Amino acid sequence: MSPEYPFDEAATARAVIDDAGVLTQWNEGARRLLGWTADEIVGRPAARLLAGSAPEVSGPRWHGMVTLRHQAGRAVPVWLLAHHRRPAGGGPGDWLVVTPLEPPGPRSPDDPLNAASLLQSPCAIAVYDQHLRLHTLNDAMARVIGLPAERAQGLRISELGAKPQNEELERHLLQVLSTGQAQDVQTFLRSGGEDRAHAWLARMAPVTDAEGRVRGVCLAAHDITENYRARQRLHLVNEASVRVGSTLDVTRTAQELADVCVPVLADFVSVDLLEPPETGAPPSDRITAPVTLRRVAHQSVNPGCPEAMVPPGDVESHPAASPQADSLLAGRTIVASLGDGTVERWLEQDAVRRDRYRRYGFHSTMSVPIQARGTTLGVAVLSRSRRPDPFSPDDVMLAEEITARAAVCVDNARRYSRERDTALALQRSLLPRTLPRTAALEASSRYLPAARAGVGGDWFDVIPLSGMRVAMVVGDVVGHGIPASATMGRLRTAVRTLADIDLAPDELLTHLDDLVVRLSEESGGEGSPGEVGATCLYAVYDPVSRRCALARAGHPAPIVMPPGEAPRELDVPAGPPLGLGGLPFEAAELYLHEGTLLSFFTNGLVDTPGRDEETGRRLLLDALAAGAGPADAGPADSRSADPGSLDETCDRILHALLPAGGSCDDVALLVARTHGLPASQVATWDIPADPALVAPIRKQVLEQLSTWGLTEASFTTELVVSELVTNAIRYGSHPIRLRLIHDADTLICEVSDTSHTAPHLRRAKTWDEGGRGLLLVAQLTQRWGSRHTPDGKTIWAELALFEEE
C-alpha cells in the first residue's frame, strides 16, 4: 500500500473559506453537490452560494441545515459541518466546511462492520470502513463527537474535528488498516461541544471478515482525564520534592515553589512572606488585616511576569478582602472566582489591579497559607487566566501538598539564616575589629565565613607582649555554627591570657590542649566524650633580636618571604591537633630580616573542593611572589612602605585562591611584615651586687635619656629604674641586667636576674618600712609585669612618652 492512502475525495463535499468569506478550496465532491467547478467558484465570496439567510456561527465549530444555490439555479438544502482552523505558525485562519454526499442506505446483516458496533455500550465506539469513513458509531461516541449519528456517518475523523490531534488519529487509523495491527494512542483534546480538553485513550483494532481480510477499523475512546491528571499531580509532587528546597536560601526556595507550579497548576504564582520581627524571632501567630507582606518570588506563563503588581523584594499591604489576607486570617486555603463576589470586592478597592486583572483575563485564584511547625510564614497565590477551568478540589489538595513541602524548606532556610547571622555576629564580635599598631610589625587580616556550610570557628589575633615583642596566632575550631564560634571565643580568650604571662609557644599550646580536652569532656555529657577539636599556630617575634619562635598544633605551616627572596613554607614541627591530650609540642626559632613577610592562614584558604591542598599552597606561593615589589625589596626602611600594600596582598591572595562563590569553609588570613629595632634604641647595663653602686647606673640612665632626647621622662624613669634595680639586688640572684628600649611613643625598662621568684603587689601596712615599691611602679607606668626566661625572670615596665589627649 502506498504511503498516501487513496481516499475517495469525491465522497465528501469539501470547501475552505477564509476569514474574509472568500472560497479558497473546492473539491470534486462539492462540484457533485452544487455543480460549480473549482475554476468557477474559487476566489469568489461564499455568500453567493446561499439561497437563504446566512446562519449565525459562533465558536470554533458549527453544524446545521443551510439552503445553498445550485449552478442550475435550484435551491439545495444541505447539512453542513464547519470547523475554524488557525495555522500553527500564526496568521489568518479559515473554515473547513464538509458534508457527506451519500446518505446511509440499507446494509446487509452479514456486513462485518455492523457486527463490530455495540450501540448500547457505555464505551464510545466508532467503526471506520476501508476508506476510513465513519461507518457506524454508538450513542456514546455520538455524544463525544457532538453530532447526530446520521450526520456524522461518511465523514473521516479529520473532518469530524479539524484539529492536529484528529489528523494524528487518522494516521494511526491508516496504520491499523494497512498493517492489521492494533494500536493504542493517547491524546488530549476537546470533544464536541465542550469548553475544556479531556485526556483520551484511543484503542484501535482491525475489523476483519470471515476470510480474515481487513475491512475497516474499530476505534474505542476512553476518557482517562482523571487518571491523566492523577499521574500529572503525582509527577508534580515528585518534581516539587526534587526541585523545591535545593538550597538553604529563602528567596531561592520561594522561587522554586513558583517555578514548579507554572504552568502545570497555574498561569501565575506569587509567593509573599511575612516580615519576621527585628529580633530575628519567627513571625507572630497573631495576624490582623491589613497584612503586610514582602514579595519574595513570582512566576508566569508570560515572559517577564507582566501581571505582577510589585517586583520581588518590595513590600505590599493587603486589605481584608484580598486573597492573601483572607487566606492568612482564615488559616486555610481559599479559592475565589469571578462571579462569586469575593474577587469583585477586592478589585473594587484597587483600580490599577482591576485593570491588570481584566487585561490578562484572570478568572480564578487559590490562596494557600505557607505554614510550617505551627507557624505561618506567608502565602502563595495561584491564579489562572489561560486555562479556562477553575481550581478543583484536587487542585487544592495538590497545591497544599506542594506548599507544605516548600514551607518546611522555607522555615529551614529561615532558621539557618537566623543561626548563621547570629553565629556570624558572634564570630565577628569575638574577632579583633582592628589590629594593634606595634613597633615590631605591621599586619593586615581577612576573615570570610563559609559560603554554604555556615560560620565556623576560625580566628586570628595579634597580641602585644612585653619588651616590644608581639605574638601572632591563627586557629581553627572543628565544626560550624554557634557552638564553633563560642568555642573559638573561649580559645581566643585563653590564648590572650596565656600570652599575657609570656609563655613560650610550645608551652602555651600545651595549656591550650588541656583546655580543649576539658571542653570536649564538658560537651559530651554523662561521661561520654564530646567532639571539640581545634588547630592552632602561635608565634612570638622579638624586634630587638629579630628572632621569631613558633609552634603549631596540627595547623598549616606559615609562609615566609624574606626581602628579595621567593616565598617558602616554614619548616615547623606539625604537632598534634588540640584536644588529643598528653602529646608534646615542639617549637622552632628563626632569624627574620627587616621587612620579612609572614603569612598565617587556616585550612579553608588552600583546601577547596575540586583542588587538592598541595595545589592550593602553590597558588598561595605564586600570589605572594606576584606582589613582591618596592615594599618588600629590602631592609632599607620598611616602615616607609605603603601601609595599604598588606591589604592589597590579602586581597590578591583571596582572589587567587578562592572560587567566585566563596569557600566551603571559613577562611582566616593574617599577613605581617616585620620591623627590627635598631641597636641605637636599646641600652643595656650590668648591675653590680652592691646597692651603693646603683647611683652611677641611674646617672648613666639619665645620660642615655638625654641622648635619646627623652629628658622629660627622666624623673619617672629614674624612680622606676631605682625601684626595679633595688628589688633585684635585694631579692634576686646575680647576674642582674638593666635594659632600656624606646620607640616613638614608649619607653620600656627591664631588669633581669637569675631568680625564678616572681614579684607581686601587696598592701603595705602603716608601720611597714617597705612593700610600696611595686605599687609606686604600677602608678607611674602604663603597665608592668614579669616574664620567665630560660635563665630566670625579667621584670618590666612601660612608660608612655606622650600623654594621650
Side-chain angles (χ1 to χ4, degrees):
M1 183 173 292
S2 62
E4 293 295 332
Y5 191 77
F7 294 117
D8 183 8
E9 296 293 344
T12 304
R14 295 163 56 97
V16 177
I17 306 171
D18 64 18
D19 281 342
V22 177
L23 283 160
T24 60
Q25 293 182 27
W26 188 264
N27 78 338
E28 178 60 21
R31 188 200 63 78
R32 290 174 54 192
L33 177 66
L34 297 179
W36 303 94
T37 65
D39 293 338
E40 294 173 329
I41 203 71
V42 171
R44 297 176 178 272
R48 293 186 179 181
L49 294 175
L50 293 174
S53 60
E56 294 184 4
V57 179
S58 61
R61 189 176 84 158
W62 176 89
H63 65 91
M65 295 298 299
V66 177
T67 302
L68 300 178
R69 189 185 308 279
H70 193 275
Q71 185 189 34
R74 67 176 184 272
V76 181
V78 180
W79 178 85
L80 296 179
L81 174 62
H83 308 278
H84 189 260
R85 305 183 301 183
R86 288 191 178 277
D94 57 29
W95 288 85
L96 171 64
V97 183
V98 299
T99 186
L101 292 182
E102 300 176 1
R107 293 169 179 171
S108 170
D110 297 331
D111 192 335
L113 297 179
N114 292 334
S117 63
L118 300 175
L119 297 180
Q120 302 300 319
S121 172
C123 177
I125 298 175
V127 179
Y128 292 85
D129 62 17
Q130 286 180 297
H131 302 288
L132 292 185
R133 295 193 174 276
L134 184 59
H135 179 275
T136 306
L137 72 163
N138 65 357
D139 295 340
M141 181 60 80
R143 288 192 295 270
V144 170
I145 297 176
L147 296 173
E150 63 275 12
R151 298 300 186 185
Q153 290 174 350
L155 295 177
R156 287 158 40 193
I157 194 170
S158 59
E159 298 169 340
L160 291 169
K163 300 182 179 66
Q165 296 94 324
N166 295 88
E167 296 176 359
E168 177 69 19
L169 288 173
E170 187 169 79
R171 284 193 290 270
H172 286 283
L173 286 173
L174 177 57
Q175 292 176 6
V176 175
L177 187 67
S178 304
T179 64
Q181 301 294 322
Q183 290 192 18
D184 289 346
V185 179
Q186 291 190 27
T187 187
F188 200 77
L189 52 80
R190 284 202 304 265
S191 59
E194 292 196 337
D195 59 353
R196 67 181 199 174
H198 286 245
W200 296 93
L201 173 62
R203 314 201 71 170
M204 307 174 188
V207 178
T208 59
D209 58 15
E211 286 77 22
R213 292 173 300 182
V214 178
R215 301 287 300 278
V217 181
C218 179
L219 183 149
H222 304 273
D223 188 346
I224 59 170
T225 304
E226 291 303 319
N227 179 269
Y228 172 82
R229 289 182 176 172
R231 285 188 285 112
Q232 191 180 43
R233 287 192 290 267
L234 180 60
H235 175 74
L236 184 59
V237 170
N238 291 335
E239 187 179 11
S241 65
V242 174
R243 292 177 56 186
V244 179
S246 61
T247 65
L248 285 172
D249 181 81
V250 174
T251 302
R252 176 78 174 272
T253 301
Q255 189 61 55
E256 290 167 345
L257 170 60
D259 292 344
V260 82
C261 292
V262 175
V264 180
L265 194 56
D267 298 319
F268 179 74
V269 175
S270 62
V271 181
D272 302 299
L273 297 181
L274 292 162
E275 288 285 86
E278 294 182 359
T279 57
S284 173
D285 290 335
R286 297 184 60 186
I287 300 175
T288 58
V291 182
T292 300
L293 298 169
R294 182 176 295 276
R295 175 64 51 84
V296 183
H298 53 223
Q299 187 55 276
S300 170
V301 293
N302 298 310
C305 300
E307 312 96 319
M309 293 291 295
V310 295
D314 280 13
V315 174
E316 187 178 15
S317 180
H318 301 271
S322 65
Q324 292 87 346
D326 284 349
S327 179
L328 291 175
L329 294 175
R332 57 181 175 82
T333 301
I334 292 181
V335 177
S337 301
L338 284 175
D340 62 9
T342 306
V343 175
E344 286 80 356
R345 287 195 301 271
W346 172 47
L347 297 178
E348 286 176 359
Q349 304 178 31
D350 191 336
V352 176
R353 189 184 299 273
R354 181 177 63 248
D355 293 342
R356 190 166 301 188
Y357 207 81
R358 292 173 177 172
R359 183 193 314 165
Y360 291 99
F362 289 111
H363 59 83
S364 184
T365 63
M366 175 169 52
S367 307
V368 187
I370 302 175
Q371 299 171 328
R373 301 181 178 96
T375 301
T376 300
L377 305 175
V379 61
V381 180
L382 294 79
S383 305
R384 284 183 176 175
S385 55
R386 292 188 183 179
R387 292 181 57 169
D389 51 312
F391 291 104
S392 67
D394 288 337
D395 293 332
V396 172
M397 293 177 59
L398 179 59
E400 288 177 342
E401 182 171 357
I402 295 175
T403 304
R405 291 172 180 262
V408 174
C409 297
V410 169
D411 188 51
N412 289 340
R414 273 195 166 177
R415 289 169 181 262
Y416 167 78
S417 298
R418 286 198 300 269
E419 181 173 346
R420 176 181 171 83
D421 292 343
T422 302
L424 185 58
L426 175 62
Q427 179 87 333
R428 295 197 182 281
S429 69
L430 295 174
L431 290 173
R433 297 186 178 181
T434 58
L435 297 179
R437 298 179 60 184
T438 66
L441 52 81
E442 55 177 318
S444 182
S445 62
R446 294 292 186 273
Y447 169 74
L448 296 178
R452 292 178 293 275
V455 178
D458 292 15
W459 90 93
F460 58 88
D461 212 345
V462 175
I463 308 171
L465 302 178
S466 62
M468 295 287 183
R469 297 170 306 129
V470 64
M472 294 165 284
V473 58
V474 176
D476 185 358
V477 176
V478 174
H480 296 88
I482 294 178
S485 297
T487 301
M488 178 274 290
R490 299 175 75 172
L491 295 185
R492 178 172 178 251
T493 301
V495 170
R496 277 189 160 266
T497 302
L498 296 172
D500 193 52
I501 59 177
D502 274 307
L503 291 180
D506 53 340
E507 189 176 353
L508 182 143
L509 292 181
T510 300
H511 286 280
L512 199 62
D513 182 51
D514 294 338
L515 172 61
V516 174
V517 170
R518 290 196 298 273
L519 292 177
S520 185
E521 293 173 351
E522 293 174 2
S523 67
E526 299 182 0
S528 61
E531 297 182 355
V532 178
T535 64
C536 185
L537 171 65
Y538 184 77
V540 176
Y541 172 66
D542 185 349
V544 177
S545 65
R546 301 184 182 179
R547 302 196 68 82
C548 182
L550 311 92
R552 60 187 178 118
H555 200 83
I559 305 296
V560 61
M561 187 170 70
E565 299 182 19
R568 69 178 189 277
E569 185 176 298
L570 278 179
D571 184 14
V572 182
L578 300 174
L580 298 182
L583 298 176
F585 298 93
E586 187 177 352
E589 190 174 39
L590 69 156
Y591 179 85
L592 299 179
H593 292 282
E594 173 89 4
T596 296
L597 195 68
L598 292 170
S599 299
F600 305 86
F601 53 91
T602 54
N603 199 53
L605 180 67
V606 294
D607 189 8
T608 60
R611 186 186 68 202
D612 58 72
E613 187 173 344
E614 187 62 31
T615 302
R617 289 181 180 275
R618 287 198 301 268
L619 290 175
L620 176 57
L621 293 173
D622 293 342
L624 287 169
D632 304 304
D637 187 8
S638 66
R639 298 180 191 223
S640 64
D642 178 11
S645 61
L646 290 183
D647 287 334
E648 295 171 2
T649 300
C650 289
D651 294 338
R652 184 172 60 253
I653 291 173
L654 296 181
H655 179 75
L657 273 77
L658 297 185
S663 175
C664 293
D665 196 3
D666 281 23
V667 173
L669 174 65
L670 178 64
V671 178
R673 182 179 291 113
T674 62
H675 300 313
L677 206 63
S680 59
Q681 294 179 225
V682 182
T684 305
W685 295 271
D686 291 325
I687 305 300
D690 187 358
L693 299 178
V694 174
I697 298 296
R698 290 201 301 266
K699 182 179 179 183
Q700 294 177 33
V701 168
L702 294 176
E703 292 175 353
Q704 183 64 57
L705 292 178
S706 177
T707 302
W708 285 341
L710 303 177
T711 54
E712 293 183 0
S714 298
F715 178 75
T716 303
T717 304
E718 185 178 9
L719 289 177
V720 171
V721 167
S722 297
E723 184 59 37
L724 294 183
V725 169
T726 301
N727 278 347
I729 295 174
R730 181 177 300 177
Y731 303 110
S733 301
H734 290 274
I736 301 172
R737 176 168 294 181
L738 168 65
R739 185 170 72 164
L740 294 184
I741 309 171
H742 93 86
D743 191 44
D745 53 4
T746 304
L747 177 66
I748 299 176
C749 302
E750 294 184 344
V751 177
S752 303
D753 66 80
T754 56
S755 171
H756 292 280
T757 303
H760 61 277
L761 285 175
R762 66 183 180 88
R763 181 179 294 276
K765 298 179 182 178
T766 306
W767 55 85
D768 287 347
E769 295 182 1
R772 298 176 178 83
L774 289 181
L775 179 61
L776 178 64
V777 171
Q779 295 298 317
L780 293 175
T781 61
Q782 273 189 318
R783 60 183 187 134
W784 75 278
S786 65
R787 66 175 182 269
H788 290 282
T789 65
D791 300 324
K793 68 175 183 297
T794 297
I795 311 300
W796 54 269
E798 289 186 4
L799 292 79
L801 297 178
F802 302 99
E803 294 185 1
E804 296 182 359
E805 296 183 0

